[in-house]
Amino acid sequence: MHALPLRLTPGQDLHAAVESVLSAHGVSAAYVIQGIGSLSVAQLRLAGASQSTELRGDLEILSLAGSVSPDGAHLHIAVADAQGKVLGGHARAGCLVRTTVEVLLMLLPEYHFARENDAVTGFRELVIRPII
């Protein structure tokens, strides 16, 4: 395992920045351990919803975690607005950094992550394979 701290800057897409790490570091498996910072736009897919909900304004990231594979990132996020209202769900593409976002990733070079259809859940789920 290898810890990799990242700092994202204004205007960066959180999802795209996290996904770009694998190829940049030559690995195919990582976990987002935690993230904090601020967004100007959050794209959240709420539990059970099929479409994203867009939030705009001064948003603080309270929690960010997930897994990252070459098939994409599966990120969960909780954000608070300027009134302290908290909303959370799946972070989707289009979450834009307002001032900064600090993320801690754990790179796992000894594993390969993939997302494959799961007959039980009906969703593309994480498949973990050791690299031999």
Side-chain angles (χ1 to χ4, degrees):
M1 289 188 295
H2 174 76
L4 178 67
L6 298 177
R7 177 177 177 256
L8 308 183
T9 57
Q12 281 189 279
D13 184 303
L14 170 65
H15 214 273
V18 167
E19 289 181 337
S20 71
V21 168
L22 294 186
S23 60
H25 290 273
V27 298
S28 60
Y31 270 98
V32 175
I33 302 301
Q34 180 59 285
I36 57 173
S38 65
L39 301 174
S40 58
V41 178
Q43 296 287 346
L44 304 179
R45 187 182 61 74
L46 306 178
S50 59
Q51 299 296 317
S52 294
T53 296
E54 181 177 278
L55 305 175
R56 289 185 170 269
D58 295 339
L59 305 166
E60 290 292 331
I61 298 173
L62 305 177
S63 178
L64 174 68
S67 59
V68 190
S69 76
D71 301 321
H74 178 198
L75 303 175
H76 287 205
I77 191 168
V79 297
D81 66 16
Q83 290 72 45
K85 180 181 170 188
V86 176
L87 194 61
H90 289 266
R92 306 295 296 263
C95 292
L96 302 180
V97 175
R98 183 170 60 90
T99 59
T100 191
V101 170
E102 302 162 8
V103 179
L104 178 61
L105 285 105
M106 188 62 65
L107 304 181
L108 303 169
E110 62 275 9
Y111 290 94
H112 175 80
F113 286 176
R115 295 232 166 249
E116 297 177 5
N117 290 328
D118 184 291
V120 175
T121 68
F123 294 101
R124 291 174 51 85
E125 302 290 3
L126 182 66
V127 177
I128 302 166
R129 294 185 179 97
I131 294 177
I132 300 172

Short mmCIF file of all heavy atoms in Angstrom, two decimals, residues 38-63:
data_model
loop_
_atom_site.label_atom_id
_atom_site.label_comp_id
_atom_site.label_asym_id
_atom_site.label_seq_id
_atom_site.Cartn_x
_atom_site.Cartn_y
_atom_site.Cartn_z
N SER A 38 -13.93 22.31 -0.26
CA SER A 38 -15.14 23.02 -0.66
C SER A 38 -15.44 22.83 -2.14
O SER A 38 -14.55 22.67 -2.96
CB SER A 38 -15.00 24.52 -0.35
OG SER A 38 -13.99 25.09 -1.13
N LEU A 39 -16.73 22.84 -2.43
CA LEU A 39 -17.23 22.74 -3.80
C LEU A 39 -18.12 23.94 -4.11
O LEU A 39 -18.77 24.48 -3.22
CB LEU A 39 -18.05 21.46 -3.98
CG LEU A 39 -17.37 20.12 -3.72
CD1 LEU A 39 -18.39 18.99 -3.81
CD2 LEU A 39 -16.21 19.90 -4.67
N SER A 40 -18.16 24.31 -5.38
CA SER A 40 -19.12 25.31 -5.84
C SER A 40 -20.33 24.63 -6.47
O SER A 40 -21.41 25.20 -6.52
CB SER A 40 -18.47 26.27 -6.83
OG SER A 40 -17.96 25.55 -7.94
N VAL A 41 -20.11 23.42 -6.98
CA VAL A 41 -21.18 22.59 -7.55
C VAL A 41 -20.97 21.16 -7.06
O VAL A 41 -19.85 20.66 -7.07
CB VAL A 41 -21.14 22.60 -9.10
CG1 VAL A 41 -22.23 21.70 -9.67
CG2 VAL A 41 -21.25 24.00 -9.66
N ALA A 42 -22.05 20.54 -6.62
CA ALA A 42 -22.01 19.12 -6.25
C ALA A 42 -23.07 18.40 -7.06
O ALA A 42 -24.21 18.86 -7.14
CB ALA A 42 -22.27 18.93 -4.76
N GLN A 43 -22.69 17.32 -7.67
CA GLN A 43 -23.61 16.44 -8.39
C GLN A 43 -23.74 15.18 -7.55
O GLN A 43 -22.77 14.43 -7.41
CB GLN A 43 -23.08 16.09 -9.79
CG GLN A 43 -22.94 17.27 -10.71
CD GLN A 43 -24.28 17.77 -11.21
OE1 GLN A 43 -25.32 17.13 -11.09
NE2 GLN A 43 -24.27 18.98 -11.76
N LEU A 44 -24.91 14.98 -6.95
CA LEU A 44 -25.13 13.84 -6.07
C LEU A 44 -26.22 12.95 -6.62
O LEU A 44 -27.25 13.44 -7.07
CB LEU A 44 -25.58 14.30 -4.67
CG LEU A 44 -24.68 15.27 -3.94
CD1 LEU A 44 -25.30 15.64 -2.60
CD2 LEU A 44 -23.31 14.68 -3.73
N ARG A 45 -25.98 11.64 -6.59
CA ARG A 45 -27.06 10.70 -6.85
C ARG A 45 -27.49 10.18 -5.50
O ARG A 45 -26.76 9.49 -4.81
CB ARG A 45 -26.65 9.55 -7.77
CG ARG A 45 -27.88 8.69 -8.14
CD ARG A 45 -27.56 7.51 -9.01
NE ARG A 45 -26.66 6.55 -8.42
CZ ARG A 45 -26.98 5.68 -7.45
NH1 ARG A 45 -28.19 5.66 -6.92
NH2 ARG A 45 -26.08 4.83 -7.01
N LEU A 46 -28.70 10.58 -5.11
CA LEU A 46 -29.23 10.20 -3.81
C LEU A 46 -29.64 8.73 -3.81
O LEU A 46 -29.88 8.15 -4.87
CB LEU A 46 -30.40 11.10 -3.45
CG LEU A 46 -30.11 12.61 -3.50
CD1 LEU A 46 -31.36 13.41 -3.17
CD2 LEU A 46 -28.96 12.98 -2.59
N ALA A 47 -29.74 8.15 -2.63
CA ALA A 47 -30.08 6.74 -2.48
C ALA A 47 -31.36 6.40 -3.24
O ALA A 47 -32.38 7.06 -3.09
CB ALA A 47 -30.25 6.39 -1.01
N GLY A 48 -31.28 5.39 -4.09
CA GLY A 48 -32.44 4.91 -4.84
C GLY A 48 -32.81 5.74 -6.06
O GLY A 48 -33.69 5.34 -6.82
N ALA A 49 -32.16 6.87 -6.25
CA ALA A 49 -32.48 7.74 -7.39
C ALA A 49 -31.73 7.29 -8.64
O ALA A 49 -30.66 6.71 -8.56
CB ALA A 49 -32.13 9.19 -7.08
N SER A 50 -32.30 7.58 -9.80
CA SER A 50 -31.62 7.24 -11.04
C SER A 50 -30.92 8.45 -11.65
O SER A 50 -30.01 8.31 -12.46
CB SER A 50 -32.60 6.64 -12.05
OG SER A 50 -33.64 7.56 -12.31
N GLN A 51 -31.33 9.65 -11.26
CA GLN A 51 -30.74 10.88 -11.79
C GLN A 51 -29.98 11.62 -10.69
O GLN A 51 -30.27 11.46 -9.51
CB GLN A 51 -31.84 11.80 -12.35
CG GLN A 51 -32.63 11.19 -13.49
CD GLN A 51 -31.76 10.93 -14.71
OE1 GLN A 51 -30.94 11.75 -15.10
NE2 GLN A 51 -31.92 9.76 -15.31
N SER A 52 -29.06 12.47 -11.08
CA SER A 52 -28.30 13.28 -10.14
C SER A 52 -29.10 14.49 -9.69
O SER A 52 -29.93 15.01 -10.42
CB SER A 52 -27.00 13.75 -10.78
OG SER A 52 -26.15 12.67 -11.04
N THR A 53 -28.80 14.94 -8.48
CA THR A 53 -29.31 16.19 -7.94
C THR A 53 -28.15 17.17 -7.92
O THR A 53 -27.06 16.83 -7.44
CB THR A 53 -29.85 16.00 -6.50
OG1 THR A 53 -30.95 15.11 -6.55
CG2 THR A 53 -30.26 17.31 -5.87
N GLU A 54 -28.36 18.37 -8.46
CA GLU A 54 -27.29 19.36 -8.51
C GLU A 54 -27.48 20.37 -7.39
O GLU A 54 -28.56 20.93 -7.21
CB GLU A 54 -27.28 20.09 -9.85
CG GLU A 54 -26.18 21.12 -9.96
CD GLU A 54 -26.13 21.77 -11.31
OE1 GLU A 54 -25.53 21.18 -12.23
OE2 GLU A 54 -26.70 22.88 -11.46
N LEU A 55 -26.40 20.60 -6.63
CA LEU A 55 -26.37 21.65 -5.61
C LEU A 55 -25.38 22.69 -6.05
O LEU A 55 -24.29 22.36 -6.55
CB LEU A 55 -25.93 21.08 -4.26
CG LEU A 55 -26.70 19.89 -3.71
CD1 LEU A 55 -26.04 19.39 -2.43
CD2 LEU A 55 -28.14 20.27 -3.44
N ARG A 56 -25.72 23.97 -5.87
CA ARG A 56 -24.82 25.07 -6.21
C ARG A 56 -24.69 26.00 -5.03
O ARG A 56 -25.64 26.17 -4.27
CB ARG A 56 -25.33 25.85 -7.42
CG ARG A 56 -25.23 25.08 -8.71
CD ARG A 56 -25.64 25.92 -9.92
NE ARG A 56 -25.30 25.21 -11.13
CZ ARG A 56 -24.14 25.34 -11.78
NH1 ARG A 56 -23.23 26.16 -11.33
NH2 ARG A 56 -23.90 24.64 -12.87
N GLY A 57 -23.53 26.61 -4.89
CA GLY A 57 -23.29 27.56 -3.81
C GLY A 57 -22.01 27.21 -3.08
O GLY A 57 -21.17 26.46 -3.58
N ASP A 58 -21.88 27.78 -1.88
CA ASP A 58 -20.72 27.50 -1.04
C ASP A 58 -20.98 26.21 -0.27
O ASP A 58 -21.80 26.20 0.66
CB ASP A 58 -20.46 28.66 -0.08
CG ASP A 58 -20.08 29.94 -0.81
OD1 ASP A 58 -19.64 29.85 -1.97
OD2 ASP A 58 -20.22 31.02 -0.21
N LEU A 59 -20.32 25.16 -0.67
CA LEU A 59 -20.54 23.83 -0.10
C LEU A 59 -19.25 23.32 0.55
O LEU A 59 -18.18 23.43 -0.06
CB LEU A 59 -20.98 22.85 -1.19
CG LEU A 59 -22.20 23.26 -1.99
CD1 LEU A 59 -22.33 22.39 -3.24
CD2 LEU A 59 -23.45 23.16 -1.13
N GLU A 60 -19.37 22.78 1.76
CA GLU A 60 -18.22 22.20 2.46
C GLU A 60 -18.33 20.68 2.41
O GLU A 60 -19.39 20.12 2.72
CB GLU A 60 -18.18 22.66 3.92
CG GLU A 60 -17.84 24.12 4.09
CD GLU A 60 -16.41 24.46 3.69
OE1 GLU A 60 -15.52 23.60 3.80
OE2 GLU A 60 -16.20 25.61 3.26
N ILE A 61 -17.25 20.02 2.03
CA ILE A 61 -17.21 18.55 2.07
C ILE A 61 -16.95 18.14 3.51
O ILE A 61 -15.94 18.51 4.11
CB ILE A 61 -16.09 17.99 1.17
CG1 ILE A 61 -16.34 18.36 -0.29
CG2 ILE A 61 -15.98 16.47 1.34
CD1 ILE A 61 -15.19 18.00 -1.22
N LEU A 62 -17.88 17.37 4.06
CA LEU A 62 -17.74 16.86 5.43
C LEU A 62 -17.09 15.49 5.43
O LEU A 62 -16.41 15.12 6.38
CB LEU A 62 -19.10 16.79 6.11
CG LEU A 62 -19.90 18.10 6.12
CD1 LEU A 62 -21.24 17.86 6.77
CD2 LEU A 62 -19.11 19.19 6.83
N SER A 63 -17.34 14.73 4.38
CA SER A 63 -16.81 13.38 4.28
C SER A 63 -16.76 12.98 2.82
O SER A 63 -17.64 13.32 2.05
CB SER A 63 -17.72 12.42 5.07
OG SER A 63 -17.25 11.11 4.96
#
